[in-house]
Amino acid sequence: MTRPLTRRELLERAALGGAALSLPAFLAACGGGNGIEGTATTTAAGTTTGGSKTLADTLTISNWTLYIDIDEETKKYPTLEQFTAETGVAVDYIEDVNDNDEWFGKNQAALSKGQAIGRDITVLTDWMAARMVRLGYVEKLDKEAIPNASNLVSALASPGWDPNREYSLPWQSGLTGIGYDPERVGGEITSISQLLEDPKLKGKVTFLTEMPDTMGLMILDGGGDPSTVAKADFDRAIERLQAGVDSGQIRQFTGNDYSGMLAKGDIWAAVGWSGDMVQLTADNPNLKFVIPDAGGMIWTDNMLIPTGGDVFTASTFMNFVYDPKVAAQIEAYVNFICPVDGAAEEIKAIDASLADNTLIFPDEATLAKVKIFDAEAADDNAYKQQFQAVIGA
Amino acid sequence: MGWLHRHRGLVPYLLLAPGLAWLALFFVVPTYYLANTSLQTGSLDAGYAFTWAWDNYADAISTYHEQFVRSLQYAGIATVAAFLVSYPLAYFIAFRGGRWKGVLLLLIIAPFFVTYLIRTLAWQTILSDSGFVVNALQTVGLLGDGDRLLATSTAVIAGITYNFLPFMALPLYVSLEQIDGRLIEAAEDLYASKVKAFLRVTLPLSLPGVFAGTLLTFIPAAGDFINAELLGTPRQSMIGNVIQSKFLVLTDYGQAAALSFTLMAAILVLIAIYTKVLGTERMGV
Amino acid sequence: MTFARRHVLTAYALLAFGYLMLPIAVVIAFSFNDPLGRFNFTWQGFTLQHWENPFGPPGLRDAIVASLQIAALASLVATILGTLVALALVRYGFRGRGLTNLLIFMPMTTPEIVMGASLLALFLNVGVATGFWTIFIAHVMFDISFVVVTVKARLAGFDRHLEEAAMDLGANPFTTFARVTLPLIAPGVAAGALLAFALSVDDFVITLFNAGSTITFPLYVWGAARVGVPPQVNVIGTMIFLVAAGLMLASVLVQTRRPKGTS
């Protein structure tokens, strides 16, 4: 696989979150030994739906943009080609997931009727994945076909909405924190409170339209725990957020268009995502990304098999990408957080400096500070309504 | 030929048939479905049921009248602004364009070739707090030192205006181009000043274009959400944003549908009034 | 006096065009940018590499081709259907005129998201697979109204006497239409077609719901925006515009002089 030289350069330049690397620290944080553990989950009895054990001719995958390695010259996907070479299954890879709600809105009508949507795998964020499982719009994975599932980092092994990982497997994770320009701000930023209260930052701050991200950080800043949201904490956070809007302290609520604003200096600090900051610092090395002292959020995009998807073929693919070598290959391009144990080791063969990057392989200190948002609260209509009212919808 | 002549009364229906059939099938049917949804209540988990939920409408109006009014306001201002920019432009192309009319018209819709998002990002660059536009305005004193253009209602309205300029300019051109230049000459020969000739001859003759242009701009602008989303703060949110949110995020399909119908009704009423005021015959209505 | 007035209009027109083209100028400028990361927000340096490799990003070419094909087809069909409706509305008396007008205005007033979703529901219920043709159907649907309103503006100012004169001279309705009416309303029809094309090539929300796996240019851009729109998008947008402008310029230069209709 050919890799553009600029990526190596840009990662060297990425000056984000300065905790030092150490492979033992990473492994400890990911809670694994050296990867291939024998845990009981590899042989769940009779959980396949349909029961077919033959591979289909084609596998159709719906994913977010730039979420898999690609050879920019030949425009082909090395990992997918490898999969096809090994299994004979052609892969139809469609990058049509832009936003969880949008994807769901588009497919809801068909799914609610139990109709297939023409996809074998789709990748959705935690709380949306939780909703899909809750509503029964997904098929169970064929765990027999995914022995490599045991490579899943233990931190992600058992989310509340899918405790035995029967329906999903993480694809990539990412962090939500604060991205800012230390020069313009004139110092360091360590908390959400600063964003809301520092008069210097008035009108120069943005938050995200994603409720789990924004409210997660707000609740943490208020001393609460977003992994189990308490109404009092949520209400208090909403009040503070509304005050920020009313006073003009918060300039806007954005999707990822905050990156443009930060790059141009229209805003000086933004609640944002780790992946974006990696790209922004390539052009402007002064920008920084921090997890607030009170804590940040970690989110995961998960592979699911929607109703009607080919379970065996999809599961085979999942097994394929959970091989540490393959995972490393994908990670070297995607640059989010890798959910596969052992990939850090493998990635050294591709690019040693990547193994050092704490945004791809976060160290223990970082992981200790981040929480996963309460999936039930994330889909609670009352909470969502309160939040939407604040962001102006 | 004889058949057509004998069945002259059928001609309008034959002309209407294909277009209306398309709309009947692909608009009316879905709209009926939407109307049905607007009277439903429920949620994703519990399911949705038809319950004659007129509350959806009552709630829609009582909770969101601010956004309704704001949407109509913004759309109205944007329409006037688009008119002021487009009329001279259309006039120029119609009367001075000569052989280049086609090219000039194409230039008007050129922005659509780069997609909405790219255009808006370009505006974000142009109107950036540290960009030349803001700096110029601050130097001249039209803008305070700490003020900005982006994330304000000005930016939202400017965005809407820009986005719908072609919808105003093209119909205006269409009407203006038809005007016989000799009529204007005649007026001037009869001692009318240029301004008077314009007001008494050109403008009235171009009214069908004005009517068309204002409708094609105002109507879609009222339902717009994207400008408010990218260029505004929560205080600029329009009814389109609410509908978007109700539908996608809150999966409250009943309310989303009710809000949509309320908006549609409001706009249709305004159109009816507007048409009456301008006079139906000349508009070909 | 006339001289000054004459140039005021030209000056104003130039300003208006400048305003219209300003964002395009920025887009073109940034197509030459050489960003180090994936975002194309701040100027880093000049390069021609994106112009050398405009279809680099995978899927971009397919998206653009799909968009142009759909737009061309949809605007063609919508223009024909819409012009016929406009003719009926302006020329003839018939029952149901009010209802027809309502039917023409309503699609424009409907928020795109609910229209897109409702149309999708229809396709699902009927069992039609979403994709290229459902996008086409949707685009024709909302284009018709815009064509009707635009062509009506032209027809409203139309001088019927010309048609009557032609018929008096022995032309039948078809010939009259083809030789007299159509050429005179051509600018209106062309303008309607242009609007329909623009609407179609830029549509996002309705297309999103009814696209299936087809990706159109706006869908592609929205997807890419999440991680950084590649400068090639700027290049493609500029290229399309230049090609279209070039074609029109060529047609102007090639055109033989023909006496115009009325003016």
Side-chain angles (χ1 to χ4, degrees):
Chain A
M1 180 186 95
T2 54
R3 275 184 49 256
L5 208 52
T6 53
R7 194 168 316 283
R8 200 169 286 159
E9 283 170 36
L10 93 83
L11 285 171
E12 276 165 5
R13 242 178 281 204
L16 300 145
L21 133 106
S22 81
L23 193 53
F26 161 72
L27 287 175
C30 287
N34 57 3
I36 320 273
E37 282 178 15
T39 60
T41 53
T42 47
T43 51
T47 51
T48 60
T49 50
S52 150
K53 293 288 185 175
T54 48
L55 290 171
D57 292 326
T58 318
L59 179 73
T60 313
I61 304 179
S62 242
N63 207 343
W64 303 69
T65 342
L66 286 187
Y67 236 8
I68 199 169
D69 56 320
I70 182 167
D71 182 332
E72 264 152 33
E73 263 128 66
T74 63
K75 288 176 274 174
K76 295 198 189 279
Y77 302 100
T79 300
L80 299 180
E81 303 220 296
Q82 220 179 304
F83 179 72
T84 306
E86 277 181 31
T87 61
V89 178
V91 179
D92 193 7
Y93 188 77
I94 308 171
E95 288 174 328
D96 62 350
V97 186
N98 299 325
D99 174 87
N100 291 295
D101 283 316
E102 193 187 275
W103 185 94
F104 188 81
K106 195 170 70 165
N107 290 293
Q108 182 267 344
L111 288 171
S112 65
K113 294 193 206 305
Q115 286 179 9
I117 57 170
R119 302 283 188 272
D120 299 302
I121 295 182
T122 185
V123 178
L124 298 170
T125 315
D126 302 309
W127 53 273
M128 182 55 80
R131 183 196 289 179
M132 293 282 282
V133 172
R134 197 177 76 232
L135 293 174
Y137 293 166
V138 291
E139 309 276 4
K140 274 200 185 158
L141 308 180
D142 182 352
K143 292 310 272 285
E144 281 178 9
I146 322 180
N148 283 337
S150 55
N151 295 340
L152 176 60
V153 300
S154 67
L156 298 175
S158 214
W161 49 273
D162 188 11
N164 299 318
R165 286 290 179 190
E166 293 180 285
Y167 298 97
S168 62
L169 270 181
W171 174 257
Q172 295 287 319
S173 295
L175 300 175
T176 309
I178 302 176
Y180 70 102
D181 189 333
E183 267 177 46
R184 292 188 205 260
V185 170
E188 296 249 309
I189 292 195
T190 54
S191 73
I192 290 285
S193 292
Q194 261 178 287
L195 294 181
L196 291 172
E197 286 152 24
D198 189 340
K200 258 190 305 162
L201 295 177
K202 177 162 176 185
K204 297 288 182 197
V205 161
T206 61
F207 280 67
L208 291 169
T209 52
E210 290 272 332
M211 186 180 87
D213 290 319
T214 296
M215 292 309 286
L217 288 179
M218 290 292 293
I219 292 177
L220 281 167
D221 191 69
D225 179 10
S227 54
T228 314
V229 172
K231 181 153 170 42
D233 290 337
F234 192 89
D235 287 344
R236 211 173 326 130
I238 285 279
E239 265 176 47
R240 288 180 73 206
L241 203 59
Q242 182 70 60
V245 171
D246 292 337
S247 67
Q249 179 83 7
I250 300 178
R251 182 179 171 118
Q252 279 181 288
F253 287 89
T254 66
N256 83 323
D257 40 311
Y258 66 83
S259 25
M261 297 182 212
L262 198 56
K264 290 186 212 123
D266 287 343
I267 57 173
W268 298 347
V271 172
W273 294 305
S274 51
D276 291 336
M277 295 309 297
V278 172
Q279 296 305 323
L280 281 180
T281 49
D283 295 334
N284 181 353
N286 294 326
L287 297 177
K288 284 177 85 160
F289 177 80
V290 288
I291 303 288
D293 290 342
M297 306 302 294
I298 184 169
W299 46 266
T300 307
D301 287 331
N302 303 271
M303 292 188 279
L304 302 163
I305 306 178
T307 308
D310 186 309
V311 174
F312 183 66
T313 316
S315 306
T316 310
F317 179 80
M318 294 188 194
N319 190 55
F320 178 72
V321 297
Y322 263 66
D323 178 327
K325 271 215 178 58
V326 178
Q329 191 175 292
I330 298 176
E331 207 54 57
Y333 186 87
V334 172
N335 297 332
F336 273 89
I337 297 179
C338 178
V340 177
D341 267 341
E345 196 55 53
E346 297 292 342
I347 214 169
K348 283 176 163 182
I350 303 175
D351 180 356
S353 66
L354 290 178
D356 292 5
N357 193 314
T358 53
L359 279 192
I360 303 176
F361 298 104
D363 61 333
E364 194 174 332
T366 314
L367 285 179
K369 283 189 353 182
V370 295
K371 298 251 187 244
I372 303 177
F373 197 86
D374 182 345
E376 212 179 291
D379 223 9
D380 179 301
N381 257 330
Y383 283 153
K384 288 204 286 192
Q385 198 122 321
Q386 276 176 283
F387 184 70
Q388 293 295 114
V390 174
I391 68 173
Chain B
M1 198 48 47
W3 182 91
L4 207 56
H5 194 78
R6 277 195 299 274
H7 295 87
R8 225 171 322 163
L10 276 186
V11 171
Y13 298 102
L14 289 176
L15 291 174
L16 290 171
L20 292 189
W22 196 288
L23 285 176
L25 187 52
F26 299 115
F27 177 72
V28 177
V29 172
T31 303
Y32 164 75
Y33 186 79
L34 189 66
N36 189 294
T37 307
S38 76
L39 293 174
Q40 290 180 4
T41 46
S43 68
L44 274 180
D45 294 85
Y48 300 92
F50 186 85
T51 58
W52 290 106
W54 296 106
D55 274 350
N56 281 341
Y57 285 90
D59 286 343
I61 303 176
S62 63
T63 322
Y64 298 107
H65 62 263
E66 189 187 316
Q67 280 91 340
F68 271 116
V69 170
R70 192 182 298 136
S71 300
L72 297 174
Q73 262 175 2
Y74 285 3
I77 302 175
T79 305
V80 172
F83 177 80
L84 292 173
V85 173
S86 304
Y87 199 101
L89 190 59
Y91 190 100
F92 178 84
I93 302 179
F95 288 101
R96 307 273 176 80
R99 286 186 303 162
W100 308 101
K101 282 183 191 160
V103 181
L104 293 173
L105 288 179
L106 192 75
L107 276 181
I108 294 185
I109 67 160
F112 280 78
F113 287 126
V114 297
T115 77
Y116 177 79
L117 186 63
I118 307 287
R119 294 200 291 277
T120 310
L121 290 180
W123 274 116
Q124 281 183 341
T125 304
I126 298 169
L127 297 178
S128 162
D129 293 0
S130 45
F132 71 90
V133 175
V134 170
N135 278 332
L137 289 175
Q138 280 172 343
T139 318
V140 176
L142 280 173
L143 209 59
D145 263 343
D147 290 346
R148 60 177 192 238
L149 276 181
L150 286 175
T152 61
S153 43
T154 311
V156 176
I157 297 176
I160 298 176
T161 307
Y162 184 80
N163 204 45
F164 290 102
L165 264 181
F167 296 89
M168 175 65 80
L170 285 174
L172 282 177
Y173 161 80
V174 149
S175 224
L176 283 167
E177 198 265 357
Q178 202 171 30
I179 297 176
D180 190 338
R182 292 172 298 181
L183 288 170
I184 307 178
E185 276 177 40
E188 285 167 12
D189 285 345
L190 292 169
Y191 305 110
S193 66
K194 280 232 182 262
V195 174
K196 220 166 180 187
F198 172 76
L199 287 175
R200 298 293 203 94
V201 180
T202 317
L203 190 53
L205 284 176
S206 68
L207 273 183
V210 175
F211 182 70
T214 43
L215 285 178
L216 291 185
T217 307
F218 180 84
I219 298 176
D224 187 75
F225 67 94
I226 200 73
N227 283 286
E229 191 177 293
L230 293 178
L231 300 171
T233 73
R235 280 169 291 182
Q236 279 81 40
S237 72
M238 296 168 72
I239 198 65
N241 301 88
V242 178
I243 296 174
Q244 191 85 355
S245 158
K246 289 282 176 203
F247 188 90
L248 281 186
V249 180
L250 298 169
T251 59
D252 189 346
Y253 302 120
Q255 271 238 320
L259 283 165
S260 303
F261 276 107
T262 312
L263 177 68
M264 286 158 73
I267 300 177
L268 287 170
V269 164
L270 287 174
I271 297 177
I273 300 176
Y274 185 56
T275 310
K276 275 274 137 58
V277 165
L278 276 195
T280 55
E281 269 168 36
R282 264 179 306 169
M283 305 313 126
V285 171
Chain C
M1 203 53 199
T2 327
F3 180 86
R5 288 260 171 86
R6 201 179 174 74
H7 282 71
V8 163
L9 183 64
T10 314
Y12 195 108
L14 278 175
L15 270 177
F17 265 120
Y19 169 65
L20 207 54
M21 292 294 125
L22 190 53
I24 307 295
V26 172
V27 169
I28 297 179
F30 273 83
S31 72
F32 294 106
N33 190 16
D34 188 12
L36 292 160
R38 288 186 190 134
F39 289 130
N40 190 12
F41 293 127
T42 46
W43 186 263
Q44 305 290 320
F46 185 92
T47 176
L48 287 173
Q49 75 189 64
H50 309 302
W51 281 88
E52 285 159 15
N53 182 23
F55 294 111
L60 176 57
R61 189 227 242 108
D62 292 338
I64 249 303
V65 166
S67 274
L68 290 176
Q69 284 175 338
I70 294 174
L73 279 172
S75 55
L76 180 66
V77 175
T79 303
I80 296 174
L81 296 181
T83 305
L84 293 177
V85 172
L87 279 168
L89 276 174
V90 179
R91 294 306 184 69
Y92 297 87
F94 58 90
R95 319 237 281 152
R97 170 179 288 273
L99 206 58
T100 306
N101 276 315
L102 188 67
L103 198 51
I104 293 299
F105 282 120
M106 274 184 78
M108 292 193 283
T109 68
T110 315
E112 289 220 315
I113 190 156
V114 290
M115 181 141 77
S118 310
L119 199 53
L120 175 64
L122 170 68
F123 290 135
L124 278 181
N125 282 326
V126 173
V128 173
T130 49
F132 185 94
W133 291 108
T134 51
I135 305 177
F136 163 76
I137 290 173
H139 284 203
V140 172
M141 184 266 289
F142 64 69
D143 276 344
I144 292 180
S145 309
F146 286 85
V147 173
V148 172
V149 175
T150 308
V151 175
K152 270 205 314 184
R154 182 75 174 190
L155 279 172
F158 189 83
D159 187 353
R160 306 293 301 266
H161 298 122
L162 293 164
E163 288 177 335
E164 284 166 27
M167 307 254 272
D168 285 347
L169 291 168
N172 62 45
F174 282 133
T175 318
T176 312
F177 181 77
R179 298 289 204 96
V180 179
T181 319
L182 201 50
L184 287 173
I185 63 169
V189 175
L194 267 179
L195 272 181
F197 187 89
L199 272 173
S200 173
V201 94
D202 202 33
D203 184 69
F204 177 70
V205 182
I206 298 189
T207 310
L208 176 72
F209 278 86
N210 295 285
S213 345
T214 311
I215 302 200
T216 63
F217 192 49
L219 290 180
Y220 178 92
V221 171
W222 273 92
R226 192 185 77 92
V227 285
V229 181
Q232 279 93 340
V233 167
N234 297 38
V235 173
I236 298 293
T238 312
M239 272 170 61
I240 300 176
F241 162 62
L242 286 177
V243 167
L247 284 174
M248 297 233 66
L249 273 173
S251 77
V252 167
L253 295 171
V254 160
Q255 212 168 45
T256 53
R257 234 156 265 237
R258 236 190 305 155
K260 285 188 58 184
T262 45
S263 7

